[in-house]
Amino acid sequence: MAFLINWAYTAYYFPDDKSPNIWTGMWPLLVFGLLFVAVVIFGSTLSKSNYVGFLMSVILFISLMLVNMFEKLQKYNPISLVTDNLDLVKGTEKISHIYPAIWISVVAAIVILSISILILNKKKIG
């Protein structure tokens, strides 16, 4: 809701014809955010401390940045959902360029959430 209010405010006061594909650039950010939410949930299920989820997301982010140094793997790296989204907004890049990273992120998020659910079902609460 906050995003829509900010978007409407910006579109009204600052009309811009140089960013034709705003929504195309936003979907990869959403997918990347969902992956990180899944990682935080997974980390939180492993420990009673809330900091483990944050620590796992930091470790994942650093790992993805290191993997991004290899040019052949950039197309498959979920970090490209964040780093390449400005090119999508400007229209200089097609979204099909990052389809592999989107699918890897979605599948990884589903697997991580499934594992989290299995772990939580086996834990005793209380």
Side-chain angles (χ1 to χ4, degrees), residues 3-25:
F3 169 76
L4 293 175
I5 292 170
N6 284 317
W7 174 73
Y9 178 87
T10 303
Y12 179 76
Y13 285 110
F14 307 106
D16 181 17
D17 298 334
K18 297 176 184 164
S19 305
N21 303 319
I22 299 249
W23 297 108
T24 306

Side-chain angles (χ1 to χ4, degrees), residues 107-123:
V107 169
I110 290 171
V111 167
I112 291 169
L113 283 174
S114 299
I115 293 171
S116 299
I117 291 170
L118 290 173
I119 291 172
L120 279 174
N121 285 338
K122 290 183 180 183
K123 276 189 172 184

Side-chain angles (χ1 to χ4, degrees), residues 4-124:
L4 293 175
I5 292 170
N6 284 317
W7 174 73
Y9 178 87
T10 303
Y12 179 76
Y13 285 110
F14 307 106
D16 181 17
D17 298 334
K18 297 176 184 164
S19 305
N21 303 319
I22 299 249
W23 297 108
T24 306
M26 293 307 298
W27 289 110
L29 290 175
L30 177 68
V31 171
F32 188 75
L34 292 175
L35 174 64
F36 264 73
V37 167
V39 170
V40 169
I41 290 171
F42 178 69
S44 297
T45 60
L46 294 178
S47 174
K48 292 183 180 181
S49 172
N50 293 335
Y51 298 109
V52 175
F54 174 71
L55 180 64
M56 287 190 75
S57 65
V58 169
I59 290 170
L60 176 68
F61 185 78
I62 291 171
S63 301
L64 292 176
M65 291 301 283
L66 291 174
V67 169
N68 208 37
M69 291 178 7
F70 302 103
E71 197 168 323
K72 291 182 179 180
L73 298 176
Q74 288 177 355
K75 180 179 178 180
Y76 305 100
N77 192 352
I79 203 78
S80 65
L81 301 177
V82 177
T83 58
D84 294 350
N85 72 329
L86 191 55
D87 294 331
L88 295 172
V89 170
K90 290 192 274 184
T92 58
E93 189 70 56
K94 301 276 186 204
I95 196 165
S96 61
H97 171 74
I98 57 172
Y99 276 160
I102 290 173
W103 285 112
I104 288 172
S105 298
V106 168
V107 169
I110 290 171
V111 167
I112 291 169
L113 283 174
S114 299
I115 293 171
S116 299
I117 291 170
L118 290 173
I119 291 172
L120 279 174
N121 285 338
K122 290 183 180 183
K123 276 189 172 184
K124 289 184 180 179

